[in-house]
Amino acid sequence: MTDVTSPEAQGFAVDINNCDREPIHVLGTVQPFGFLVALTADWLVSRVSTNSADHIGLAPDQMLGQPISALFTADAIHTLRNRITLLRGPDSVERVFSLPLVEGGAPFDVAVHFSGQLVVIEAEPAVPDEMEASSMVRSMVARLAQADSMTAFLRDGARQVRALTGFDRVMVYRFADNGDGEVVAEALRPGIDSFFGLHYPASDIPAQARALYMRNIFRVIADINAPPVPVIPALDPAGAALDMSLCVTRAVSPIHIEYLRNMGVGASLSISIIVDGKLWGLFACHHYAPRLPSFAQRSAAELFGQIFSMMLEGRERAETASYEGKARQVADRLLSAVAQDHDLMTNARWLGDIIFDTIPADGVGIYIDGQMTLSGLTPDEPSFAAIVSMLNRTAASQVYTTDSIARIMPEALAHADRAAGLLAIPISRRPRDYVVLFRAEQLRSVRWAGKQDKHIEYGPNGPRLTPRKSFEEWSELVKGTAVAFMPAELRVAEALRTALLEVILRLSDSADEERQRAHEKQELLIAELNHRVRNILALIRGLISQTRDSAMSVDQFIGTLESRVHALARAHDQITADRWAPARLYDLIEVEAGAYLGDRRDRVKLTGPNVLLTPAAFTVLALVIHELLTNAAKYGALSDNGSVAIEWHVDAEGSLLLHWLESGGPAVVAPSRRGFGSTVIERSIPYDLDGRAEVNYRLAGLEARFCIPSAHVASILPDVAGTDRAKPAPAPSPHLLKGRQILLVEDNMIIAMDGEDALRDLGAQVVTAASIGRAHEAITLHPVDLAVLDFNLGNETSLPIADMLAERGVPFLFATGYGDGLDLPDRFSDVILLKKPYSGATLAQAIAPMLARG
């Protein structure tokens, strides 16, 4: 049971039967380790906790209605106002450490946030803490990154939180889609019971509490036996209660207090784990005595929780991508085998062995043209026939899943121990042929926990509020229910459905079935297009929001936005070329100058050692250099016949000092207004990198000096940057491929058309193929001199074509959207990779060395 704010002040009596409707966000009480003050928009005290005198010597009747300036020192108010200006978004909380609030008083650690129109200030006595949060969290994250599996990652996360907070038990608690939860990792003090593997019903953490965990990601209960402190008045003159959703001192629901007491817990702490914008789970921490980590420790733990969430999201996406990649290989194998032997479609044992490699299940049933075959844990044939009849009414022609067949067909409870849930894959246009995967009742595979033998004095709601009693209730709730099929498994099922449909359509001359095949492919294409467009729109939206305010016209807005997008793209290309490794400063300036000035880039003089910058510094400096070059070209030295000298060196402390000097251009005057570009130049490096920036608008030309701290300087290579300045690549010869027959393998028609045009512009005769079969045919029928192979051809790769070309001694290259991240077999490790999208020039540059070798 989660903690919630006590709402008795609102006349809502909480018990075990209605805690899911408890108004958890409204004003109740605070924990006594701190006090609360709420201020109106004109900074008058509107509410205050009754323990204010214990902390600052001012009773509530001395504070209510008074201006805060009459109570707190001017320095404290100034600091708090500055912090409030940093609040972004409705759920933002800012913190201040060791701030004296009243004249001559002790310092406090303070949290401040908005609650509606009110400013809520919470303070607790400052605790001297030498811990440096950023370095501590950085060390924890570095250790976490070394975990070689998801299990190790979750376990190490629990260990790190326990080491940081000092709590006796730290659990990683994961939510299922229906709100049920499971302890998936644990770190605990020796000698206490383990809860690892326990499951809990959704009622233990009601929906409104899960919603609150999304807003307030960190929660601490310092002492469950501490008397709660009222906040007065309970209601404002309009009868409204204070929304305490974001309060760090918010007190505790009596139901949750009972839950903790039943476990013998004295203090608790939770950190939300949010993945893909949803509440994935919690770090749930218990201590068997009162415990309040310092404000700095709690802030570091909250930061660690946020970074953990991002790392977990990345790992889950990587695992899903790897899983779906393996699933495509299984689908290819299935497709190939069934295409050669159609009878395999009715072999349930064989089909189950293939599919279970990617979609774990306990049994499989096949229903084709009224014939049934079953393998593994399944219903009997009459029950299976009834399930198929239900699917014809419910599932139509889509992949269908349920974790409880009995919810739809009560009679299915009779076979729930063998087949409680199902995943149905329709394999014909008509809703009568299916491959159905079954999963047995969830309790068959769950790890039952040991019994709790310790004597416990239960509260008025009885033994229900204990971990193992909750586990027993969960066990009752999930009887007749299977482990649900995950979204990634459903996508694999859809891919298998597509593969099986393709086989069946190949074996049929029906025009209706051919049209259905085209329709399904169109659906898949639209879904993929929608996904990619959404990603692109999200990126563009971020840049638009930063550019629009400084634009004086629509044309200027469009041009500026376009140039900034290209600048960031060029920087991203440079640092991802070596898999997000440090990149050369010289290359950054050279590429940006070349893109902006073309042949005139010799007017930018570069002098300095060969410095490598970290990716974070590289992207920040890329935008700064871009804005400087843009301004120089529009208003400065490069708008006339002048030049720009860029000189840099590394000082004794290892910091990079960069000097920008324009000369020979028109007279310079300081701008009358600061646009976004000027803000980027002057504030990006100090704000993002903790460096320095100084810009002087000299009459003879703009001069700027920047300092990038040593933490962002990865290394200095011994060679000197800029000694062999690259020249623009020569234009490709229009006769490069004259008289040559080129094979282009590409499954996307638009990309294929562009590729054909580019190759013909180089003088080639082009033979195009969209699949492995067509490519084999083309190689057999035509004398091919060279090939351009799209690596990923939908559900297959072009590796068989590459092997065939290699045997014949025909040179080839791979074109791919995966860039350098493509994992090629060792035999093709020296094959040229051409990144998509490619132009005629980049295609020619890739092909030219191949012709030179041959």
Side-chain angles (χ1 to χ4, degrees):
M1 180 65 60
T2 186
D3 69 284
V4 289
T5 300
S6 176
E8 280 78 357
Q10 305 305 311
F12 187 92
V14 182
D15 59 37
I16 194 67
N17 298 312
N18 66 5
C19 65
D20 61 328
R21 300 188 302 278
E22 189 176 3
I24 64 176
H25 62 289
V26 299
L27 170 67
T29 52
V30 297
Q31 299 177 62
F33 68 79
F35 71 98
L36 179 148
V37 178
L39 308 178
T40 63
D42 51 357
W43 284 61
L44 298 178
V45 177
S46 171
R47 289 183 172 94
V48 64
S49 60
T50 57
N51 65 342
S52 59
D54 298 336
H55 290 280
I56 58 175
L58 296 172
D61 57 359
Q62 296 175 278
M63 300 178 66
L64 288 170
Q66 296 297 315
I68 195 65
S69 59
L71 306 173
F72 288 0
T73 67
D75 287 343
I77 294 173
H78 176 74
T79 300
L80 291 172
R81 285 186 182 275
N82 283 343
R83 287 294 179 179
I84 288 172
T85 62
L86 299 177
L87 291 171
R88 295 291 184 271
D91 297 336
S92 178
V93 178
E94 281 293 325
R95 297 171 176 81
V96 184
F97 294 91
S98 296
L99 178 68
L101 295 178
V102 296
E103 197 67 46
F108 288 84
D109 292 330
V110 180
V112 59
H113 70 274
F114 283 112
S115 178
Q117 298 298 316
L118 300 180
V119 176
V120 177
I121 300 170
E122 297 172 275
E124 60 185 87
V127 177
D129 195 335
E130 299 299 326
M131 184 192 73
E132 206 286 302
S134 61
S135 61
M136 171 71 76
V137 173
R138 189 182 303 113
S139 174
M140 295 167 65
V141 170
R143 178 181 175 87
L144 200 61
Q146 297 174 4
D148 57 2
S149 67
M150 184 62 79
T151 299
F153 177 80
L154 297 175
R155 183 178 61 246
D156 213 41
R159 289 174 176 171
Q160 299 280 11
V161 172
R162 182 167 182 262
L164 181 59
T165 63
F167 273 65
D168 290 333
R169 179 201 310 280
V170 174
M171 299 171 286
V172 178
Y173 183 94
R174 180 171 189 173
F175 292 112
D177 289 339
N178 62 358
D180 292 350
E182 177 187 3
V183 178
V184 295
E186 185 180 45
L188 66 164
R189 172 175 57 81
I192 62 176
D193 290 337
S194 172
F195 295 156
F196 176 67
L198 288 180
H199 294 244
Y200 303 99
S203 58
D204 271 24
I205 303 182
Q208 82 275 30
R210 293 194 296 273
L212 186 55
Y213 278 126
M214 286 290 294
R215 296 189 59 198
N216 192 347
I217 66 174
F218 190 89
R219 174 72 163 135
V220 65
I221 302 171
D223 182 356
I224 69 165
N225 294 312
V229 178
V231 177
I232 59 174
L235 303 176
D236 66 12
L242 175 66
D243 186 337
M244 299 180 68
S245 299
L246 303 180
C247 290
V248 299
T249 59
R250 178 166 47 90
V252 192
S253 162
I255 294 290
H256 187 58
I257 288 290
E258 184 176 333
Y259 190 76
L260 296 174
R261 282 176 176 160
N262 286 347
M263 288 187 288
V265 171
S268 75
L269 182 151
S270 65
I271 308 170
S272 303
I273 302 173
I274 298 173
V275 174
D276 280 331
K278 298 179 181 178
L279 186 64
W280 184 97
L282 301 170
F283 283 107
C285 311
H286 292 159
H287 201 69
Y288 291 93
R291 181 168 183 79
L292 179 65
S294 71
F295 207 61
Q297 288 175 315
R298 281 145 51 198
S299 298
E302 181 177 351
L303 175 60
F304 174 77
Q306 292 174 303
I307 297 175
F308 179 91
S309 297
M310 291 187 288
M311 295 177 70
L312 175 60
E313 182 174 325
R315 280 181 175 257
E316 286 199 336
R317 288 181 177 176
E319 286 192 354
T320 299
S322 175
Y323 164 73
E324 293 184 354
K326 293 177 182 177
R328 283 195 296 269
Q329 296 175 0
V330 171
D332 291 343
R333 194 163 71 246
L334 177 66
L335 180 64
S336 177
V338 174
Q340 297 177 34
D341 185 357
H342 186 52
D343 291 339
L344 289 175
M345 281 294 299
T346 59
N347 187 332
R349 182 180 297 277
W350 175 86
L351 199 60
D353 289 343
I354 293 291
I355 295 177
F356 293 170
D357 284 345
T358 54
I359 307 178
D362 300 305
V364 61
I366 300 174
Y367 189 96
I368 296 179
D369 291 333
Q371 302 298 312
M372 291 176 283
T373 56
L374 300 166
S375 177
L377 296 178
T378 65
D380 56 24
E381 288 196 0
S383 298
F384 185 43
I387 288 173
V388 170
S389 177
M390 178 273 294
L391 291 173
N392 287 339
R393 300 190 305 271
T394 306
S397 59
Q398 302 296 318
V399 170
Y400 175 80
T401 185
T402 177
D403 61 358
S404 178
I405 307 172
R407 282 201 294 266
I408 306 167
M409 301 173 56
E411 62 271 23
L413 196 60
H415 55 72
D417 61 326
R418 291 169 287 121
L422 64 79
L423 171 61
I425 306 174
I427 55 173
S428 69
R429 181 183 179 189
R430 300 174 298 279
R432 62 186 181 91
D433 295 342
Y434 296 93
V435 173
V436 183
L437 306 182
F438 292 101
R439 282 182 177 171
E441 191 176 45
Q442 192 170 357
L443 294 181
R444 289 179 65 101
S445 58
V446 76
R447 186 186 74 82
W448 286 84
K451 291 191 176 296
Q452 171 77 292
D453 296 326
K454 294 182 180 178
H455 175 70
I456 293 176
E457 294 292 337
Y458 295 119
N461 288 297
R464 159 68 180 84
L465 295 179
T466 63
R468 287 182 174 80
K469 290 297 181 179
S470 288
F471 179 74
E472 290 178 11
E473 175 162 311
W474 172 84
S475 302
E476 291 297 320
L477 290 173
V478 300
K479 281 186 176 179
T481 302
V483 175
F485 290 90
M486 302 300 290
E489 294 170 334
L490 298 181
R491 290 194 293 271
V492 170
E494 185 64 44
L496 291 174
R497 171 177 176 257
T498 301
L500 293 172
L501 279 170
E502 187 173 350
V503 172
I504 294 172
L505 290 173
R506 286 180 182 178
L507 300 174
S508 174
D509 294 328
S510 168
D512 288 342
E513 291 180 347
E514 290 291 344
R515 282 195 294 271
Q516 176 65 16
R517 176 183 174 186
H519 176 68
E520 290 181 350
K521 287 188 174 181
Q522 184 182 35
E523 286 181 343
L524 293 175
L525 178 62
I526 291 172
E528 176 65 17
L529 178 63
N530 182 54
H531 170 72
R532 297 191 181 195
V533 168
R534 284 180 180 273
N535 285 345
I536 294 171
L537 290 176
L539 175 62
I540 298 302
R541 181 182 179 185
L543 287 174
I544 289 174
S545 66
Q546 299 180 57
T547 305
R548 62 187 175 192
D549 293 337
S550 60
M552 303 299 293
S553 67
V554 173
D555 289 343
Q556 182 185 1
F557 171 73
I558 293 172
T560 304
L561 178 63
E562 182 178 28
S563 68
R564 286 169 178 160
V565 169
H566 282 301
L568 290 176
R570 287 190 293 270
H572 184 77
D573 284 344
Q574 288 174 269
I575 57 179
T576 54
D578 290 323
R579 299 178 184 270
W580 207 252
R584 299 200 320 163
L585 170 62
Y586 179 83
D587 292 341
L588 182 157
I589 303 173
E590 177 71 3
V591 169
E592 187 63 31
Y596 205 92
L597 302 174
D599 293 339
R600 298 180 297 125
R601 62 180 172 175
D602 57 355
R603 293 168 60 188
V604 178
K605 311 297 183 182
L606 310 182
T607 307
N610 200 352
V611 175
L612 294 184
L613 298 178
T614 62
F618 195 90
T619 51
V620 169
L621 193 56
L623 201 52
V624 171
I625 294 296
H626 170 76
E627 296 297 339
L628 284 167
L629 281 169
T630 300
N631 290 344
K634 287 183 177 179
Y635 319 111
L638 299 181
S639 67
D640 203 340
N641 295 319
S643 62
V644 175
I646 307 175
E647 182 272 338
W648 64 90
H649 66 277
V650 177
D651 65 12
E653 297 178 354
S655 298
L656 174 67
L657 304 181
L658 187 145
H659 182 208
W660 171 288
L661 182 62
E662 299 181 23
S663 60
V668 173
V669 294
S672 58
R673 59 184 293 271
R674 286 288 188 272
F676 177 68
S678 298
T679 302
V680 166
I681 294 170
E682 297 175 9
R683 296 191 58 189
S684 291
I685 291 175
Y687 188 88
D688 292 327
L689 306 180
D690 199 22
R692 299 193 304 274
E694 177 184 340
V695 180
N696 294 314
Y697 295 92
R698 301 163 52 251
L699 189 62
L702 179 74
E703 182 178 18
R705 296 181 184 273
F706 305 97
C707 174
I708 298 174
S710 59
H712 303 287
V713 179
S715 61
I716 306 173
L717 299 183
D719 57 316
V720 178
T723 53
D724 296 318
R725 189 163 189 179
K727 296 181 179 179
S733 167
H735 306 296
L736 179 66
L737 299 177
K738 185 175 182 180
R740 297 180 186 269
Q741 187 102 315
I742 308 298
L743 170 64
L744 174 62
V745 180
E746 172 59 62
D747 64 340
N748 183 286
M749 183 187 71
I750 302 300
I751 298 176
M753 291 171 62
D754 284 344
E756 289 172 354
D757 291 343
L759 290 169
R760 290 193 180 105
D761 288 343
L762 297 172
Q765 298 177 11
V766 185
V767 178
T768 305
S771 65
I772 289 179
R774 293 295 176 88
H776 272 286
E777 181 181 341
I779 295 171
T780 303
L781 297 178
H782 302 280
V784 175
D785 298 309
L786 187 144
V788 178
L789 308 180
D790 178 16
F791 184 81
N792 194 331
L793 301 173
N795 291 328
E796 56 191 2
T797 70
S798 58
L799 288 176
I801 303 301
D803 287 326
M804 186 175 182
L805 293 169
E807 290 175 3
R808 298 182 177 219
V810 177
F812 59 90
L813 59 80
F814 287 119
T816 176
Y818 291 101
D820 296 332
L822 190 64
D823 187 14
L824 287 175
D826 291 341
R827 65 183 183 278
F828 296 135
S829 59
D830 60 344
V831 174
I832 293 174
L833 293 181
L834 179 63
K835 296 181 185 178
K836 291 182 179 179
Y838 53 81
S839 64
T842 55
L843 182 61
Q845 291 168 9
I847 290 176
M850 297 171 60
L851 298 178
R853 291 200 301 262

